[in-house]
Amino acid sequence: MAVTLGVHDFTFGNAATGNRTISPAAGSCIVAAWIGNAERTTTISDDKSGSYTHHHLVNGSQDMSLAYAMNVTGGSTVVSFNNGGAATDFDFFVMEFIGVRTANAGNGTNDITNTTDTTPVAGSITTTGAGVVIGVNHAGGSNHTYAPDSADSVPTTGWLTVDEHENPASGLGGSVIYQAFSVTGTRNPGWTISVANTTHGQSLALLENVS
């Protein structure tokens, strides 16, 4: 079964806590990404007791948290973040992926921390079936486009953008992109970003969910 993007939303602001409400289908996977202008260990939760696996990446004075919950209850769901500290500028993305396996779906995470590189590439991951690779880009500015990096050893259809936003108060920019795939093999996922970034630096986290 192919993995597809379902409902998704984002918000931004300056706060220590916040939330978005989406209505995923029962059994699907919720993925949330928090990008902020301060080092935080942000936790993600929802009002239906979803069990979230968290992954954190710190890039200098900035931070990013990526979390996912499999086999969710479905229906109207409030997905919240708490950065565990004082208010800071943030972008917060929440999305549903349909067709993800309902248990043990996380098959690897890899990080990139690079302040100016326009072609970040993660370490290798091995896919075991159809699924989706999710990337979160932590960069200043907006209106970026993404092309598959030549170092990726498994053919893909390219990166699709879930949402992109620039916080107008601080210029904090963030994008969530993804690649659905059906090829088994070892990959070195990455992208070529269309706009060189010198303001906030780039960080990349990858999560593979295998359906």
mmCIF file of all heavy atoms in Angstrom, residues 73-124:
data_model
loop_
_atom_site.group_PDB
_atom_site.id
_atom_site.type_symbol
_atom_site.label_atom_id
_atom_site.label_comp_id
_atom_site.label_asym_id
_atom_site.label_seq_id
_atom_site.Cartn_x
_atom_site.Cartn_y
_atom_site.Cartn_z
ATOM 1 N N THR A 73 -6.271 7.331 16.838
ATOM 2 C CA THR A 73 -7.693 7.068 17.015
ATOM 3 C C THR A 73 -8.523 7.615 15.859
ATOM 4 O O THR A 73 -9.500 7.005 15.419
ATOM 5 C CB THR A 73 -8.181 7.685 18.341
ATOM 6 O OG1 THR A 73 -7.429 7.111 19.409
ATOM 7 C CG2 THR A 73 -9.661 7.434 18.555
ATOM 8 N N GLY A 74 -8.159 8.772 15.352
ATOM 9 C CA GLY A 74 -8.907 9.395 14.266
ATOM 10 C C GLY A 74 -9.914 10.406 14.778
ATOM 11 O O GLY A 74 -10.201 10.492 15.975
ATOM 12 N N GLY A 75 -10.445 11.206 13.861
ATOM 13 C CA GLY A 75 -11.375 12.259 14.231
ATOM 14 C C GLY A 75 -10.640 13.504 14.682
ATOM 15 O O GLY A 75 -9.410 13.567 14.657
ATOM 16 N N SER A 76 -11.380 14.515 15.095
ATOM 17 C CA SER A 76 -10.793 15.789 15.492
ATOM 18 C C SER A 76 -9.780 15.585 16.614
ATOM 19 O O SER A 76 -10.104 15.053 17.681
ATOM 20 C CB SER A 76 -11.893 16.744 15.960
ATOM 21 O OG SER A 76 -11.349 17.984 16.359
ATOM 22 N N THR A 77 -8.530 15.986 16.371
ATOM 23 C CA THR A 77 -7.432 15.734 17.303
ATOM 24 C C THR A 77 -6.624 17.023 17.490
ATOM 25 O O THR A 77 -6.169 17.618 16.514
ATOM 26 C CB THR A 77 -6.498 14.635 16.773
ATOM 27 O OG1 THR A 77 -7.259 13.450 16.515
ATOM 28 C CG2 THR A 77 -5.387 14.315 17.759
ATOM 29 N N VAL A 78 -6.450 17.429 18.741
ATOM 30 C CA VAL A 78 -5.646 18.603 19.065
ATOM 31 C C VAL A 78 -4.211 18.139 19.338
ATOM 32 O O VAL A 78 -3.962 17.419 20.300
ATOM 33 C CB VAL A 78 -6.200 19.353 20.285
ATOM 34 C CG1 VAL A 78 -5.344 20.586 20.584
ATOM 35 C CG2 VAL A 78 -7.649 19.755 20.056
ATOM 36 N N VAL A 79 -3.294 18.539 18.479
ATOM 37 C CA VAL A 79 -1.888 18.168 18.621
ATOM 38 C C VAL A 79 -1.152 19.380 19.195
ATOM 39 O O VAL A 79 -1.212 20.474 18.630
ATOM 40 C CB VAL A 79 -1.278 17.751 17.278
ATOM 41 C CG1 VAL A 79 0.175 17.313 17.459
ATOM 42 C CG2 VAL A 79 -2.097 16.624 16.644
ATOM 43 N N SER A 80 -0.458 19.189 20.319
ATOM 44 C CA SER A 80 0.132 20.299 21.065
ATOM 45 C C SER A 80 1.641 20.141 21.191
ATOM 46 O O SER A 80 2.169 19.033 21.144
ATOM 47 C CB SER A 80 -0.482 20.381 22.467
ATOM 48 O OG SER A 80 -1.889 20.499 22.413
ATOM 49 N N PHE A 81 2.324 21.272 21.407
ATOM 50 C CA PHE A 81 3.741 21.247 21.741
ATOM 51 C C PHE A 81 3.969 22.001 23.044
ATOM 52 O O PHE A 81 3.230 22.913 23.405
ATOM 53 C CB PHE A 81 4.601 21.843 20.620
ATOM 54 C CG PHE A 81 4.507 23.345 20.488
ATOM 55 C CD1 PHE A 81 5.299 24.185 21.279
ATOM 56 C CD2 PHE A 81 3.642 23.922 19.580
ATOM 57 C CE1 PHE A 81 5.221 25.565 21.159
ATOM 58 C CE2 PHE A 81 3.552 25.300 19.447
ATOM 59 C CZ PHE A 81 4.352 26.129 20.253
ATOM 60 N N ASN A 82 5.032 21.617 23.732
ATOM 61 C CA ASN A 82 5.499 22.325 24.923
ATOM 62 C C ASN A 82 7.012 22.311 24.868
ATOM 63 O O ASN A 82 7.638 21.251 24.911
ATOM 64 C CB ASN A 82 5.002 21.625 26.195
ATOM 65 C CG ASN A 82 5.348 22.406 27.460
ATOM 66 O OD1 ASN A 82 6.374 23.084 27.536
ATOM 67 N ND2 ASN A 82 4.498 22.306 28.471
ATOM 68 N N ASN A 83 7.629 23.500 24.744
ATOM 69 C CA ASN A 83 9.077 23.542 24.564
ATOM 70 C C ASN A 83 9.855 23.458 25.875
ATOM 71 O O ASN A 83 11.080 23.472 25.881
ATOM 72 C CB ASN A 83 9.507 24.761 23.738
ATOM 73 C CG ASN A 83 9.413 26.079 24.498
ATOM 74 O OD1 ASN A 83 9.394 26.116 25.724
ATOM 75 N ND2 ASN A 83 9.362 27.181 23.762
ATOM 76 N N GLY A 84 9.166 23.399 26.995
ATOM 77 C CA GLY A 84 9.822 23.209 28.270
ATOM 78 C C GLY A 84 10.589 24.405 28.790
ATOM 79 O O GLY A 84 11.377 24.284 29.733
ATOM 80 N N GLY A 85 10.376 25.577 28.192
ATOM 81 C CA GLY A 85 11.112 26.762 28.621
ATOM 82 C C GLY A 85 10.336 28.023 28.345
ATOM 83 O O GLY A 85 9.103 28.015 28.265
ATOM 84 N N ALA A 86 11.051 29.124 28.180
ATOM 85 C CA ALA A 86 10.411 30.408 27.924
ATOM 86 C C ALA A 86 9.906 30.490 26.487
ATOM 87 O O ALA A 86 10.294 29.708 25.617
ATOM 88 C CB ALA A 86 11.402 31.540 28.202
ATOM 89 N N ALA A 87 9.050 31.464 26.251
ATOM 90 C CA ALA A 87 8.522 31.687 24.909
ATOM 91 C C ALA A 87 9.645 31.981 23.933
ATOM 92 O O ALA A 87 10.631 32.641 24.264
ATOM 93 C CB ALA A 87 7.522 32.845 24.936
ATOM 94 N N THR A 88 9.505 31.475 22.721
ATOM 95 C CA THR A 88 10.459 31.747 21.652
ATOM 96 C C THR A 88 9.723 31.726 20.324
ATOM 97 O O THR A 88 8.630 31.155 20.210
ATOM 98 C CB THR A 88 11.606 30.706 21.646
ATOM 99 O OG1 THR A 88 12.611 31.110 20.720
ATOM 100 C CG2 THR A 88 11.098 29.322 21.264
ATOM 101 N N ASP A 89 10.288 32.356 19.292
ATOM 102 C CA ASP A 89 9.683 32.300 17.965
ATOM 103 C C ASP A 89 9.691 30.856 17.474
ATOM 104 O O ASP A 89 10.674 30.131 17.655
ATOM 105 C CB ASP A 89 10.461 33.172 16.987
ATOM 106 C CG ASP A 89 10.283 34.656 17.279
ATOM 107 O OD1 ASP A 89 9.203 35.042 17.763
ATOM 108 O OD2 ASP A 89 11.229 35.421 17.021
ATOM 109 N N PHE A 90 8.608 30.445 16.831
ATOM 110 C CA PHE A 90 8.500 29.059 16.386
ATOM 111 C C PHE A 90 7.664 28.948 15.126
ATOM 112 O O PHE A 90 6.863 29.826 14.796
ATOM 113 C CB PHE A 90 7.855 28.186 17.486
ATOM 114 C CG PHE A 90 6.377 28.461 17.670
ATOM 115 C CD1 PHE A 90 5.422 27.805 16.914
ATOM 116 C CD2 PHE A 90 5.937 29.412 18.592
ATOM 117 C CE1 PHE A 90 4.072 28.077 17.063
ATOM 118 C CE2 PHE A 90 4.592 29.692 18.756
ATOM 119 C CZ PHE A 90 3.653 29.013 17.985
ATOM 120 N N ASP A 91 7.840 27.850 14.412
ATOM 121 C CA ASP A 91 6.926 27.344 13.392
ATOM 122 C C ASP A 91 6.539 25.937 13.823
ATOM 123 O O ASP A 91 7.394 25.159 14.270
ATOM 124 C CB ASP A 91 7.586 27.293 12.002
ATOM 125 C CG ASP A 91 7.870 28.672 11.446
ATOM 126 O OD1 ASP A 91 7.038 29.571 11.628
ATOM 127 O OD2 ASP A 91 8.932 28.848 10.816
ATOM 128 N N PHE A 92 5.270 25.577 13.683
ATOM 129 C CA PHE A 92 4.774 24.278 14.129
ATOM 130 C C PHE A 92 3.928 23.661 13.020
ATOM 131 O O PHE A 92 2.960 24.262 12.562
ATOM 132 C CB PHE A 92 3.948 24.441 15.409
ATOM 133 C CG PHE A 92 3.462 23.156 16.008
ATOM 134 C CD1 PHE A 92 4.334 22.123 16.292
ATOM 135 C CD2 PHE A 92 2.114 22.990 16.318
ATOM 136 C CE1 PHE A 92 3.889 20.935 16.863
ATOM 137 C CE2 PHE A 92 1.656 21.817 16.896
ATOM 138 C CZ PHE A 92 2.547 20.786 17.170
ATOM 139 N N PHE A 93 4.308 22.473 12.584
ATOM 140 C CA PHE A 93 3.654 21.782 11.478
ATOM 141 C C PHE A 93 3.057 20.465 11.983
ATOM 142 O O PHE A 93 3.711 19.724 12.713
ATOM 143 C CB PHE A 93 4.657 21.456 10.364
ATOM 144 C CG PHE A 93 5.392 22.649 9.821
ATOM 145 C CD1 PHE A 93 6.542 23.116 10.443
ATOM 146 C CD2 PHE A 93 4.944 23.301 8.679
ATOM 147 C CE1 PHE A 93 7.234 24.210 9.934
ATOM 148 C CE2 PHE A 93 5.631 24.400 8.168
ATOM 149 C CZ PHE A 93 6.766 24.859 8.799
ATOM 150 N N VAL A 94 1.826 20.163 11.576
ATOM 151 C CA VAL A 94 1.169 18.911 11.931
ATOM 152 C C VAL A 94 0.598 18.298 10.658
ATOM 153 O O VAL A 94 -0.029 19.000 9.856
ATOM 154 C CB VAL A 94 0.042 19.131 12.960
ATOM 155 C CG1 VAL A 94 -0.652 17.811 13.292
ATOM 156 C CG2 VAL A 94 0.582 19.779 14.226
ATOM 157 N N MET A 95 0.806 16.995 10.474
ATOM 158 C CA MET A 95 0.348 16.363 9.245
ATOM 159 C C MET A 95 -0.029 14.911 9.489
ATOM 160 O O MET A 95 0.408 14.286 10.463
ATOM 161 C CB MET A 95 1.424 16.468 8.153
ATOM 162 C CG MET A 95 2.687 15.695 8.454
ATOM 163 S SD MET A 95 4.211 16.534 7.971
ATOM 164 C CE MET A 95 4.460 17.620 9.390
ATOM 165 N N GLU A 96 -0.850 14.380 8.584
ATOM 166 C CA GLU A 96 -1.278 12.985 8.625
ATOM 167 C C GLU A 96 -0.692 12.251 7.425
ATOM 168 O O GLU A 96 -0.723 12.753 6.305
ATOM 169 C CB GLU A 96 -2.812 12.917 8.563
ATOM 170 C CG GLU A 96 -3.364 11.509 8.346
ATOM 171 C CD GLU A 96 -4.805 11.507 7.850
ATOM 172 O OE1 GLU A 96 -5.238 12.516 7.255
ATOM 173 O OE2 GLU A 96 -5.487 10.491 8.045
ATOM 174 N N PHE A 97 -0.171 11.048 7.664
ATOM 175 C CA PHE A 97 0.224 10.166 6.576
ATOM 176 C C PHE A 97 -0.601 8.891 6.654
ATOM 177 O O PHE A 97 -0.688 8.242 7.705
ATOM 178 C CB PHE A 97 1.717 9.854 6.615
ATOM 179 C CG PHE A 97 2.558 10.992 6.109
ATOM 180 C CD1 PHE A 97 3.076 11.927 6.995
ATOM 181 C CD2 PHE A 97 2.784 11.158 4.756
ATOM 182 C CE1 PHE A 97 3.828 12.997 6.528
ATOM 183 C CE2 PHE A 97 3.531 12.229 4.283
ATOM 184 C CZ PHE A 97 4.060 13.143 5.174
ATOM 185 N N ILE A 98 -1.234 8.539 5.530
ATOM 186 C CA ILE A 98 -2.138 7.395 5.437
ATOM 187 C C ILE A 98 -1.386 6.228 4.801
ATOM 188 O O ILE A 98 -0.664 6.405 3.819
ATOM 189 C CB ILE A 98 -3.368 7.761 4.590
ATOM 190 C CG1 ILE A 98 -4.096 8.963 5.212
ATOM 191 C CG2 ILE A 98 -4.322 6.576 4.440
ATOM 192 C CD1 ILE A 98 -5.089 9.618 4.277
ATOM 193 N N GLY A 99 -1.544 5.043 5.351
ATOM 194 C CA GLY A 99 -0.903 3.856 4.791
ATOM 195 C C GLY A 99 0.359 3.454 5.512
ATOM 196 O O GLY A 99 1.027 2.507 5.096
ATOM 197 N N VAL A 100 0.705 4.151 6.577
ATOM 198 C CA VAL A 100 1.871 3.793 7.380
ATOM 199 C C VAL A 100 1.510 2.585 8.244
ATOM 200 O O VAL A 100 0.402 2.487 8.750
ATOM 201 C CB VAL A 100 2.294 4.983 8.265
ATOM 202 C CG1 VAL A 100 3.373 4.577 9.262
ATOM 203 C CG2 VAL A 100 2.788 6.128 7.397
ATOM 204 N N ARG A 101 2.468 1.685 8.406
ATOM 205 C CA ARG A 101 2.230 0.522 9.250
ATOM 206 C C ARG A 101 1.818 0.971 10.650
ATOM 207 O O ARG A 101 2.309 1.977 11.163
ATOM 208 C CB ARG A 101 3.503 -0.334 9.302
ATOM 209 C CG ARG A 101 3.289 -1.735 9.836
ATOM 210 C CD ARG A 101 4.475 -2.614 9.521
ATOM 211 N NE ARG A 101 5.697 -2.143 10.177
ATOM 212 C CZ ARG A 101 6.899 -2.672 9.943
ATOM 213 N NH1 ARG A 101 7.029 -3.627 9.047
ATOM 214 N NH2 ARG A 101 7.954 -2.222 10.585
ATOM 215 N N THR A 102 0.954 0.226 11.295
ATOM 216 C CA THR A 102 0.370 0.674 12.559
ATOM 217 C C THR A 102 1.250 0.386 13.768
ATOM 218 O O THR A 102 0.938 0.816 14.875
ATOM 219 C CB THR A 102 -1.004 0.024 12.778
ATOM 220 O OG1 THR A 102 -0.874 -1.406 12.727
ATOM 221 C CG2 THR A 102 -1.987 0.478 11.699
ATOM 222 N N ALA A 103 2.354 -0.340 13.604
ATOM 223 C CA ALA A 103 3.281 -0.597 14.702
ATOM 224 C C ALA A 103 4.685 -0.753 14.137
ATOM 225 O O ALA A 103 4.865 -1.238 13.020
ATOM 226 C CB ALA A 103 2.883 -1.851 15.477
ATOM 227 N N ASN A 104 5.674 -0.305 14.906
ATOM 228 C CA ASN A 104 7.090 -0.471 14.532
ATOM 229 C C ASN A 104 7.396 0.090 13.144
ATOM 230 O O ASN A 104 8.149 -0.488 12.370
ATOM 231 C CB ASN A 104 7.485 -1.950 14.589
ATOM 232 C CG ASN A 104 7.289 -2.541 15.960
ATOM 233 O OD1 ASN A 104 7.611 -1.920 16.971
ATOM 234 N ND2 ASN A 104 6.733 -3.743 16.005
ATOM 235 N N ALA A 105 6.811 1.243 12.854
ATOM 236 C CA ALA A 105 6.973 1.816 11.525
ATOM 237 C C ALA A 105 8.242 2.641 11.378
ATOM 238 O O ALA A 105 8.738 2.824 10.275
ATOM 239 C CB ALA A 105 5.772 2.692 11.172
ATOM 240 N N GLY A 106 8.770 3.175 12.474
ATOM 241 C CA GLY A 106 9.966 3.991 12.382
ATOM 242 C C GLY A 106 11.167 3.141 12.032
ATOM 243 O O GLY A 106 11.504 2.190 12.736
ATOM 244 N N ASN A 107 11.839 3.453 10.934
ATOM 245 C CA ASN A 107 12.932 2.619 10.459
ATOM 246 C C ASN A 107 14.247 3.366 10.388
ATOM 247 O O ASN A 107 15.202 2.881 9.805
ATOM 248 C CB ASN A 107 12.589 2.051 9.073
ATOM 249 C CG ASN A 107 13.508 0.907 8.683
ATOM 250 O OD1 ASN A 107 13.852 0.075 9.501
ATOM 251 N ND2 ASN A 107 13.909 0.886 7.430
ATOM 252 N N GLY A 108 14.309 4.554 10.964
ATOM 253 C CA GLY A 108 15.592 5.244 10.980
ATOM 254 C C GLY A 108 15.452 6.748 10.961
ATOM 255 O O GLY A 108 14.520 7.287 10.396
ATOM 256 N N THR A 109 16.373 7.432 11.628
ATOM 257 C CA THR A 109 16.454 8.882 11.567
ATOM 258 C C THR A 109 17.890 9.260 11.302
ATOM 259 O O THR A 109 18.815 8.614 11.773
ATOM 260 C CB THR A 109 15.999 9.544 12.885
ATOM 261 O OG1 THR A 109 16.772 9.015 13.964
ATOM 262 C CG2 THR A 109 14.525 9.279 13.140
ATOM 263 N N ASN A 110 18.087 10.302 10.535
ATOM 264 C CA ASN A 110 19.411 10.827 10.263
ATOM 265 C C ASN A 110 19.349 12.344 10.283
ATOM 266 O O ASN A 110 18.339 12.940 9.927
ATOM 267 C CB ASN A 110 19.928 10.359 8.899
ATOM 268 C CG ASN A 110 20.404 8.928 8.926
ATOM 269 O OD1 ASN A 110 21.462 8.619 9.463
ATOM 270 N ND2 ASN A 110 19.608 8.035 8.359
ATOM 271 N N ASP A 111 20.463 12.951 10.674
ATOM 272 C CA ASP A 111 20.510 14.402 10.807
ATOM 273 C C ASP A 111 21.586 15.005 9.919
ATOM 274 O O ASP A 111 22.590 14.376 9.627
ATOM 275 C CB ASP A 111 20.854 14.805 12.247
ATOM 276 C CG ASP A 111 19.791 14.366 13.228
ATOM 277 O OD1 ASP A 111 18.613 14.323 12.828
ATOM 278 O OD2 ASP A 111 20.142 14.066 14.372
ATOM 279 N N ILE A 112 21.344 16.238 9.553
ATOM 280 C CA ILE A 112 22.363 17.063 8.910
ATOM 281 C C ILE A 112 22.373 18.402 9.630
ATOM 282 O O ILE A 112 21.321 18.981 9.886
ATOM 283 C CB ILE A 112 22.059 17.316 7.422
ATOM 284 C CG1 ILE A 112 22.053 15.990 6.644
ATOM 285 C CG2 ILE A 112 23.087 18.260 6.821
ATOM 286 C CD1 ILE A 112 21.546 16.153 5.241
ATOM 287 N N THR A 113 23.530 18.892 9.983
ATOM 288 C CA THR A 113 23.664 20.232 10.520
ATOM 289 C C THR A 113 24.704 20.951 9.684
ATOM 290 O O THR A 113 25.862 20.572 9.667
ATOM 291 C CB THR A 113 24.110 20.226 11.987
ATOM 292 O OG1 THR A 113 23.133 19.520 12.752
ATOM 293 C CG2 THR A 113 24.216 21.631 12.528
ATOM 294 N N ASN A 114 24.283 21.959 8.958
ATOM 295 C CA ASN A 114 25.201 22.676 8.084
ATOM 296 C C ASN A 114 24.684 24.097 7.910
ATOM 297 O O ASN A 114 23.513 24.291 7.610
ATOM 298 C CB ASN A 114 25.322 21.983 6.724
ATOM 299 C CG ASN A 114 26.534 22.456 5.948
ATOM 300 O OD1 ASN A 114 26.728 23.646 5.762
ATOM 301 N ND2 ASN A 114 27.361 21.528 5.505
ATOM 302 N N THR A 115 25.542 25.088 8.089
ATOM 303 C CA THR A 115 25.060 26.472 8.140
ATOM 304 C C THR A 115 24.783 27.072 6.768
ATOM 305 O O THR A 115 23.942 27.941 6.647
ATOM 306 C CB THR A 115 26.080 27.364 8.859
ATOM 307 O OG1 THR A 115 27.354 27.256 8.227
ATOM 308 C CG2 THR A 115 26.194 26.948 10.312
ATOM 309 N N THR A 116 25.471 26.628 5.733
ATOM 310 C CA THR A 116 25.300 27.298 4.437
ATOM 311 C C THR A 116 25.128 26.340 3.269
ATOM 312 O O THR A 116 24.811 26.780 2.171
ATOM 313 C CB THR A 116 26.517 28.194 4.119
ATOM 314 O OG1 THR A 116 27.700 27.395 4.095
ATOM 315 C CG2 THR A 116 26.662 29.294 5.157
ATOM 316 N N ASP A 117 25.335 25.054 3.441
ATOM 317 C CA ASP A 117 25.312 24.108 2.333
ATOM 318 C C ASP A 117 23.923 24.068 1.703
ATOM 319 O O ASP A 117 22.916 23.930 2.394
ATOM 320 C CB ASP A 117 25.700 22.722 2.848
ATOM 321 C CG ASP A 117 25.978 21.742 1.733
ATOM 322 O OD1 ASP A 117 25.833 22.113 0.554
ATOM 323 O OD2 ASP A 117 26.346 20.596 2.047
ATOM 324 N N THR A 118 23.861 24.164 0.377
ATOM 325 C CA THR A 118 22.574 24.083 -0.315
ATOM 326 C C THR A 118 22.262 22.656 -0.761
ATOM 327 O O THR A 118 21.227 22.418 -1.374
ATOM 328 C CB THR A 118 22.553 25.001 -1.551
ATOM 329 O OG1 THR A 118 23.609 24.617 -2.434
ATOM 330 C CG2 THR A 118 22.717 26.448 -1.133
ATOM 331 N N THR A 119 23.148 21.701 -0.475
ATOM 332 C CA THR A 119 22.905 20.319 -0.874
ATOM 333 C C THR A 119 23.144 19.370 0.309
ATOM 334 O O THR A 119 24.033 18.516 0.263
ATOM 335 C CB THR A 119 23.799 19.909 -2.062
ATOM 336 O OG1 THR A 119 25.172 20.127 -1.704
ATOM 337 C CG2 THR A 119 23.465 20.724 -3.300
ATOM 338 N N PRO A 120 22.374 19.501 1.394
ATOM 339 C CA PRO A 120 22.582 18.615 2.545
ATOM 340 C C PRO A 120 22.169 17.183 2.219
ATOM 341 O O PRO A 120 21.180 16.939 1.540
ATOM 342 C CB PRO A 120 21.675 19.225 3.616
ATOM 343 C CG PRO A 120 20.605 19.906 2.843
ATOM 344 C CD PRO A 120 21.258 20.429 1.600
ATOM 345 N N VAL A 121 22.932 16.221 2.697
ATOM 346 C CA VAL A 121 22.651 14.806 2.481
ATOM 347 C C VAL A 121 22.788 14.080 3.807
ATOM 348 O O VAL A 121 23.760 14.282 4.533
ATOM 349 C CB VAL A 121 23.608 14.176 1.441
ATOM 350 C CG1 VAL A 121 23.262 12.708 1.238
ATOM 351 C CG2 VAL A 121 23.533 14.922 0.115
ATOM 352 N N ALA A 122 21.843 13.211 4.128
ATOM 353 C CA ALA A 122 21.875 12.464 5.375
ATOM 354 C C ALA A 122 22.728 11.215 5.235
ATOM 355 O O ALA A 122 23.113 10.818 4.138
ATOM 356 C CB ALA A 122 20.461 12.074 5.788
ATOM 357 N N GLY A 123 23.001 10.574 6.366
ATOM 358 C CA GLY A 123 23.648 9.275 6.340
ATOM 359 C C GLY A 123 22.709 8.224 5.762
ATOM 360 O O GLY A 123 21.519 8.461 5.547
ATOM 361 N N SER A 124 23.220 7.040 5.512
ATOM 362 C CA SER A 124 22.436 6.027 4.823
ATOM 363 C C SER A 124 21.362 5.427 5.723
ATOM 364 O O SER A 124 21.536 5.295 6.928
ATOM 365 C CB SER A 124 23.347 4.914 4.303
ATOM 366 O OG SER A 124 23.967 4.232 5.369
#
